[in-house]
Amino acid sequence: MSQWRRPARLLAVLALLVVGSGAGIIAQSTGNKAVVDDPDFARAVKEWTTRPEFSSPLVDHLPKVAGIPSPKDVLGHHIGEPKKLTYYSDTLKYYRALAAATPRVKMQTIGKSNEGRELAIVYVGSDESIRNLETYRGYLGQLADPRKLTDAQAQEVIAKAKPIYFFSGGLHSGEVGPPEMLMELAYRLATEDSPLIKQIRDQLIVAILPVADPDGRDRNVDWYYKYGINETEGRTTGAGVPYWGKYVFHDDNRDINYSQVEMKALLDWYLQWHPPIMHDLHQAQTLLYTFSGQAPQNPNLDPILYGELPAMANFEMSQMTKYGMPGVWTHGFVDMWSPGYLAFMSSNHNGMIRMYEIQGTSGANTTKVRLGNPNGTGANGVGGPATTGRGGAPSGAGPGADPAAAAAGRGSQATRDWFRPLPATGEFDWSLRNNTNYGETGVLTALQYTSSFPKIILENFYIKTKNSIETGRKETVAGYVIPSGQRDMTRVERLINLLRLQGIEIGRATAEVKLQEGTFPAGSFVIKRDQPYSRLAKTLLEKQVYPDPNLRTYDDASWTMGLMSHAEVKEITDKKVLDLAVEPVKETEIHLAGTLTGTGSMVAVAHNGSNNMITLRYRLKDLKVQAVEKEFKQGDVTFPAGSFVVSGETARVKGEVEKLGLTAVALSSAPQVAMHDLDLPKLAIYSIWGNTQEVGWVRYALDRFEVPYDLILKERVKKGDLKGAYDVIVLPNQGGSGKRVVFDIENRGQPIAYKKSDEFKNLGMYGESDDITGGMGLEGVAEFEKFVKSGGLLVTLGAASFFPTEFGLAPKVDAARPSQQFYAPGPIIDAEILKPEHPIFYGYDRKTVPVRYGNGPLLSVQTNANPFEGPPLTPPPPAQSILMRYPGGDEHVLSGLMRGANEIRNRAAIVDEPSGKGRVIIFAGNPCYRWQNFGEFNMLFNTLLNFNDIKTEAPKSAGTAPAQ
Ligand SMILES: [Zn+2]
């Protein structure tokens, strides 16, 4: 039989080996309280654990202590009971009760979620650690910025300090196990008196974020009790809950600019507490994957980190293997390239990101896992049900895609490999308690390692920080200058604030700056690399040079902030930058006020590409606002095409212009150029039910820029008369294909409602439906066609652009897909503007602009060529309706990776196709991606503001141009 089958007697011996004598097996004492194990717990856990090897001597028992509530005392059941999941308020209730009962636990509120739920950190440690939490916070703060310490002083701090080890659960709401497990962990750490737990308690402070996305947690628990609890095998219901958090699903783990309030609250907490290790607990892999930072690795991070990560992962793998737990592995899954994962905030600040993927269940149901056998036959890969819900598939590089796994050499999960010494094989039941056992054994083992070497962890944290300051002095890139006096300073303001958000030090030059790279005006922003977060500054600002085009990456290959923002950022190699006189930017958020000069009853506001232009328009919605169609000058201010002319209430306009950082001049009479009224569109954002995340990012951007809209779903489309209600409908990137946009979630015979009720209060938000399956169908397509033909403007982004092209709404536009060899995990590439006079490009002053490649369709536009004429002798001009195209080829890849860049050569990036009285504007890319590509946002915003002012028409005959 399987070699890991573990005789019961060996189990006891292992327990002794691991943690010394009597690990939770016999009665022990803690101060005055007698600690005995709870027999009811041991019995229940044994019953719920589907095989003996799916447990460990660390978690098969739990102390019972008078006066200190165990999870069961508050929740009514032990952690891991089948068919039991805990709502967030009950989770907080438990931690609060625990904190009230023992001086070893403390709770701190760190903010509020989007839907108003309290965000909390729970600290667990010895009585002394918790009493002196502020002192320990101070020590870590000193190590996090050691510029004021000598090495000897640093050693003194290290001698007194304790590492904070941070865990989060529930970052991904469909991954339901870890938030349950963490409650038991906190209780165990506070109450158990085994040598191991005592060592952890004495040497470390454990900080727990109980649920990273509490809004999504409650929606998922509702959904589980409404549908999931009745499922027998897999997801028979056929759909997951349509929303997790207010805006995003998995992307809360890719929120590189910390847009979501939950992620920002954690970052703010991080910069106060500096935990050297942050560990996110996910569930997806068989049976426990522990992250070790595989290639491609971000080369800016300290090499020490790349030693630490596999050291800890290997310790966990060998310990858990020693306990006989199969399926613990490392390597071969997530890489160390993108800095956008949540716990990466620690690595970005000289600490350590850690991550587990634990085998999940379908909600809290026990479900079958089917794996191959060790000889490689049978089912491959992960068995069991999807645990993350539909619509949860991460975008970008497609982490769910198995080709990535294959390329990474992961092979079958049932196969033994150097990074998987004891694979799980065959077919077995998997329970929520198994998930708890694996997760808790893993984290206790991580804590065992850390508490065995606490001073090494601290010393490494200190050295990595010190190295960050020193490499900044030694490396070629010595700093960055973000020049003042850029045409649009609002994008500079945003960029500075995003860097400040992450704790990066920035100064403003007190005089004109002369460096090898150029001369920059006084007031320019200077980022010197001799600072603790110099590596992070470089990572965010440099062009990403992908190390090996044959390697795939789990998420985006590039994020260069200057390119994404269309802001000028100068990389500086001149070491003089380190000695420049600067005034430090002390604020965490700067504001560069706008200006209004002159007098008069009208105000001209220059459209220099600020995303705030649309906010201004909406703040002045009751005033007459026009857009000029040609450039004009007033004094020494140039007003490009698209600039606003606002009539009346000059004082109020001035206030808004200043707040929004814009440039304006008051006029006594209207400029002598053609103008059109900027009417406000009745705007709808359309979402399918099965893929709401990318829609969520567009909703988020519109909310931030104060653009009102209706979120509409198939229910509204089927009612008809879309034109009566809306002028513009935007279909954000969604679905992946035209068919998915139209037919959406498959109906498996029973309706699936998403509605609020007294029992399920968290459902029915951001849309409501008696049946989310089936999609809008062909009747919905017909309604969209009526909308366009009767004068509506339909705008489609990214993959949603397959919808108008495949369903006949833009008959001349075809959408294809690239070859299998093509691979473009979000590179930044050149795009060429072909119709600079089109309102969509108001505020853009260059012909070629950087855009994020969005992996939408390869568009081509048929012209009126006579198919019988044969091929043309000279290359034809692009079709008139193509507004922007991708030049393609490797030479136009600006940052990151695009494999097969020739496949997109001269492909249309934006097409404006008139249809009936209306038009369809088709974006191949995604101009509103994850609160990142701010430089492209205006292509969408201009479309909205000028919805009824777009006058281009496809020519009657475009010569003999064939498809582009
Ligand atoms: Zn996850």
Side-chain angles (χ1 to χ4, degrees):
M1 269 305 291
S2 321
Q3 58 200 7
W4 64 79
R5 263 303 156 77
R6 165 186 59 181
R9 213 157 21 122
L10 179 58
L11 180 126
V13 173
L14 282 172
L16 297 182
L17 280 177
V18 175
V19 293
S21 58
I25 292 166
I26 53 166
Q28 299 155 63
S29 69
T30 165
N32 297 326
K33 291 184 196 112
V35 176
V36 290
D37 284 339
D38 178 358
D40 178 58
F41 175 91
R43 181 201 51 74
V45 164
K46 196 170 172 202
E47 182 191 324
W48 302 336
T49 300
T50 58
R51 281 187 186 181
E53 64 266 30
F54 295 154
S55 185
S56 81
L58 306 190
V59 298
D60 62 0
H61 61 278
L62 194 71
K64 197 172 176 61
V65 182
I68 303 182
S70 73
K72 185 177 182 178
D73 293 330
V74 173
L75 308 175
H77 58 88
H78 294 299
I79 298 299
E81 178 167 339
K83 296 188 184 285
K84 286 275 189 334
L85 290 179
T86 309
Y87 281 100
Y88 184 62
S89 58
D90 290 331
T91 306
L92 288 190
K93 188 171 147 197
Y94 175 66
Y95 285 114
R96 204 160 266 131
L98 184 63
T102 167
R104 294 174 177 172
V105 177
K106 191 181 159 138
M107 257 177 102
Q108 178 195 4
T109 303
I110 61 163
K112 274 203 155 68
S113 73
N114 264 313
E115 293 173 10
R117 290 174 179 83
E118 176 189 351
L119 302 170
I121 299 280
V122 178
Y123 302 90
V124 191
S126 67
D127 299 32
E128 185 275 330
S129 298
I130 298 302
R131 196 167 54 240
N132 299 309
L133 216 42
E134 272 302 306
T135 308
Y136 288 111
R137 182 171 81 88
Y139 294 147
L140 291 175
Q142 282 181 284
L143 299 177
D145 182 3
R147 281 173 294 188
K148 297 182 202 89
L149 299 179
T150 63
D151 276 344
Q153 287 168 327
Q155 286 307 327
E156 283 171 31
V157 174
I158 289 167
K160 293 181 286 187
K162 293 181 181 182
I164 294 179
Y165 196 120
F166 168 93
F167 292 107
S168 84
L171 175 58
H172 293 154
S173 309
E175 302 164 13
V176 294
E180 305 287 335
M181 179 277 283
L182 287 170
M183 289 187 272
E184 184 174 296
L185 176 77
Y187 175 77
R188 185 185 302 283
L189 291 175
T191 58
E192 191 172 309
D193 262 3
S194 64
L196 171 61
I197 301 296
K198 272 182 168 168
Q199 175 183 307
I200 294 168
R201 204 159 53 220
D202 289 343
Q203 301 297 328
L204 310 177
I205 295 162
V206 175
I208 295 169
L209 179 63
V211 180
D213 174 10
D215 301 341
R217 171 73 183 184
D218 280 351
R219 234 179 316 279
N220 262 277
V221 175
D222 265 357
W223 195 257
Y224 172 70
Y225 283 127
K226 189 168 162 82
Y227 290 111
I229 197 164
N230 301 317
E231 291 172 353
T232 49
E233 174 107 352
R235 175 157 277 143
T236 48
T237 306
V241 64
Y243 292 93
W244 284 4
K246 180 175 179 182
Y247 296 108
V248 299
F249 274 67
H250 287 89
D251 277 4
D252 58 3
N253 198 30
R254 290 158 183 74
D255 188 9
I256 195 166
N257 289 324
Y258 299 92
S259 64
Q260 304 299 302
V261 289
E262 298 86 356
M263 284 62 246
K264 163 127 182 357
L266 186 66
L267 177 67
D268 291 345
W269 173 83
Y270 174 84
L271 292 171
Q272 297 289 310
W273 289 82
H274 308 286
I277 305 176
M278 292 182 89
H279 191 153
D280 288 332
L281 302 169
H282 297 267
Q283 59 187 39
Q285 296 295 313
T286 303
L287 294 171
L288 185 144
Y289 161 80
T290 170
F291 174 68
S292 53
Q294 73 158 13
Q297 296 181 327
N298 188 316
N300 291 318
L301 297 171
D302 199 298
I304 296 170
L305 175 65
Y306 293 117
E308 289 177 305
L309 287 170
M312 289 193 72
N314 280 331
F315 182 73
E316 289 156 343
M317 190 166 69
S318 59
Q319 286 289 77
M320 293 180 76
T321 300
K322 186 163 72 187
Y323 304 145
M325 301 174 95
V328 179
W329 59 291
T330 184
H331 184 70
F333 182 52
V334 185
D335 60 74
M336 196 74 181
W337 184 249
S338 164
Y341 309 116
L342 188 64
F344 223 106
M345 74 172 72
S346 185
S347 293
N348 285 336
H349 297 89
N350 305 311
M352 198 191 315
I353 176 184
R354 305 209 65 229
M355 199 193 299
Y356 285 169
E357 297 279 358
I358 309 161
Q359 176 70 47
T361 54
S362 178
N365 295 358
T366 300
T367 39
K368 275 264 184 280
V369 173
R370 294 188 179 85
L371 299 168
N373 65 42
N375 301 323
T377 56
N380 251 13
V382 188
T387 56
T388 49
R390 281 181 69 149
S395 56
D402 251 344
R410 190 170 89 210
S412 160
Q413 302 247 6
T415 309
R416 193 184 151 191
D417 213 317
W418 65 266
F419 51 84
R420 192 189 296 107
L422 180 58
T425 58
E427 185 180 313
F428 47 85
D429 286 331
W430 188 257
S431 67
L432 181 63
R433 184 65 215 185
N434 293 357
N435 174 284
T436 304
N437 293 340
Y438 267 70
E440 195 173 346
T441 302
V443 303
L444 286 169
T445 305
L447 293 172
Q448 180 183 11
Y449 179 94
T450 311
S451 61
S452 299
F453 306 106
K455 301 304 168 191
I456 291 177
I457 298 290
L458 292 168
E459 192 173 80
N460 287 359
F461 180 51
Y462 163 65
I463 299 286
K464 284 183 288 186
T465 309
K466 212 175 117 181
N467 287 351
S468 181
I469 299 164
E470 281 167 10
T471 51
R473 288 196 191 103
K474 284 187 229 150
E475 283 180 1
T476 310
V477 177
Y480 293 87
V481 171
I482 303 175
S484 66
Q486 294 192 37
R487 190 164 162 266
D488 167 33
M489 286 301 283
T490 68
R491 59 188 86 181
V492 173
E493 176 186 296
R494 181 175 308 287
L495 183 51
I496 296 294
N497 288 338
L498 290 175
L499 296 169
R500 290 290 298 140
L501 190 68
Q502 302 212 45
I504 291 168
E505 293 173 3
I506 301 174
R508 295 198 79 167
T510 51
E512 189 179 75
V513 171
K514 281 196 163 66
L515 296 166
Q516 279 161 27
E517 283 79 5
T519 303
F520 307 102
S524 290
F525 294 91
V526 179
I527 298 153
K528 301 180 181 183
R529 284 207 59 219
D530 55 348
Q531 61 166 302
Y533 305 147
S534 83
R535 298 175 192 277
L536 175 60
K538 182 163 184 280
T539 296
L540 295 174
L541 295 173
E542 73 182 350
K543 293 181 181 182
Q544 276 72 53
V545 179
Y546 201 74
D548 178 353
N550 295 312
L551 290 174
R552 295 181 71 95
T553 181
Y554 195 82
D555 200 65
D556 284 344
S558 74
W559 47 84
T560 313
M561 288 176 78
L563 294 176
M564 285 287 201
S565 308
H566 291 191
E568 189 187 352
V569 177
K570 271 278 187 207
E571 194 161 83
I572 306 293
T573 58
D574 188 341
K575 297 283 184 243
K576 272 196 307 192
V577 73
L578 298 172
D579 301 317
L580 285 181
V582 296
E583 186 72 38
V585 174
K586 295 215 178 66
E587 309 91 325
T588 46
E589 216 170 85
I590 61 159
H591 176 59
L592 304 174
T595 56
L596 188 151
T597 54
T599 51
S601 58
M602 299 179 122
V603 174
V605 186
H607 195 335
N608 291 323
S610 171
N611 291 330
N612 292 348
M613 291 298 279
I614 197 165
T615 310
L616 180 73
R617 178 65 193 99
Y618 276 95
R619 286 191 186 174
L620 306 177
K621 58 175 178 283
D622 52 317
L623 298 186
K624 180 178 169 74
V625 178
Q626 295 165 290
V628 300
E629 295 179 355
K630 290 269 185 300
E631 176 185 301
F632 74 97
K633 283 195 162 65
Q634 179 74 22
D636 53 2
V637 182
T638 300
F639 291 87
S643 294
F644 292 2
V645 174
V646 187
S647 303
E649 297 203 42
T650 311
R652 183 176 143 215
V653 177
K654 183 172 194 283
E656 295 301 343
V657 161
E658 286 170 355
K659 275 188 255 174
L660 293 169
L662 302 168
T663 301
V665 174
L667 312 173
S668 47
S669 61
Q672 295 306 301
V673 287
M675 297 197 281
H676 58 251
D677 288 348
L678 282 180
D679 304 312
L680 293 172
K682 287 176 281 175
L683 172 63
I685 305 299
Y686 180 73
S687 179
I688 60 173
W689 281 107
N691 187 188
T692 64
Q693 173 163 273
E694 298 284 337
V695 179
W697 282 115
V698 174
R699 285 168 49 223
Y700 177 76
L702 294 175
D703 287 350
R704 281 288 295 266
F705 287 106
E706 305 172 24
V707 179
Y709 60 91
D710 285 352
L711 174 66
I712 61 168
L713 295 118
K714 68 181 167 85
E715 287 69 21
R716 174 63 192 86
V717 172
K718 286 178 169 180
K719 272 189 197 153
D721 191 24
L722 290 170
K723 186 65 190 73
Y726 301 110
D727 301 307
V728 183
I729 303 178
V730 177
L731 265 70
N733 182 31
Q734 57 194 300
S737 72
K739 268 188 280 186
R740 270 293 297 281
V741 168
V742 174
F743 301 109
D744 199 6
I745 301 169
E746 180 197 348
N747 183 298
R748 296 190 190 174
Q750 64 168 27
I752 305 175
Y754 175 67
K755 286 192 112 163
K756 195 188 190 95
S757 66
D758 286 345
E759 197 182 356
F760 303 116
K761 294 185 177 60
N762 307 294
L763 305 182
M765 294 179 77
Y766 320 114
E768 199 179 64
S769 180
D770 290 321
D771 183 10
I772 62 173
T773 71
M776 65 174 160
L778 295 176
E779 58 176 307
V781 178
E783 293 301 336
F784 270 107
E785 186 175 28
K786 275 188 235 163
F787 169 75
V788 172
K789 289 272 184 334
S790 57
L793 169 59
L794 176 67
V795 182
T796 59
L797 314 181
S801 293
F802 283 108
F803 164 60
T805 50
E806 291 176 348
F807 283 82
L809 296 172
K812 287 184 181 171
V813 188
D814 288 319
R817 291 177 187 272
S819 75
Q820 286 289 313
Q821 289 71 43
F822 181 80
Y823 179 53
I828 302 170
I829 62 169
D830 276 329
E832 184 190 358
I833 293 173
L834 299 178
K835 304 276 178 204
E837 69 285 357
H838 195 286
I840 212 171
F841 300 117
Y842 283 163
Y844 291 85
D845 62 341
R846 290 181 197 174
K847 198 160 182 278
T848 301
V849 293
V851 298
R852 180 186 180 278
Y853 188 73
N855 282 296
L858 296 181
L859 297 176
S860 52
V861 181
Q862 301 160 20
T863 58
N864 298 330
N866 182 343
F868 304 107
E869 274 178 11
L873 295 174
T874 53
Q880 288 299 308
S881 60
I882 299 177
L883 307 181
M884 186 168 91
R885 68 177 176 186
Y886 302 120
D890 291 337
E891 68 276 22
H892 288 287
V893 177
L894 304 174
S895 187
L897 172 69
M898 179 178 269
R899 207 155 65 204
N902 282 333
E903 292 193 28
I904 65 162
R905 249 187 216 290
N906 292 333
R907 286 288 185 169
I910 306 175
V911 177
D912 171 11
E913 203 53 31
S915 173
K917 291 181 186 162
R919 61 183 61 241
V920 187
I921 294 188
I922 301 167
F923 286 76
N926 182 356
C928 194
Y929 174 76
R930 285 187 189 167
W931 199 242
Q932 260 183 271
N933 53 347
F934 306 108
E936 293 175 68
F937 280 23
N938 264 335
M939 296 182 197
L940 177 61
F941 293 170
N942 285 331
T943 306
L944 303 181
L945 282 182
N946 297 279
F947 73 99
N948 56 358
D949 306 300
I950 298 168
K951 292 163 189 161
T952 58
E953 274 178 36
K956 299 288 176 276
S957 166
T960 54
Q964 286 294 313

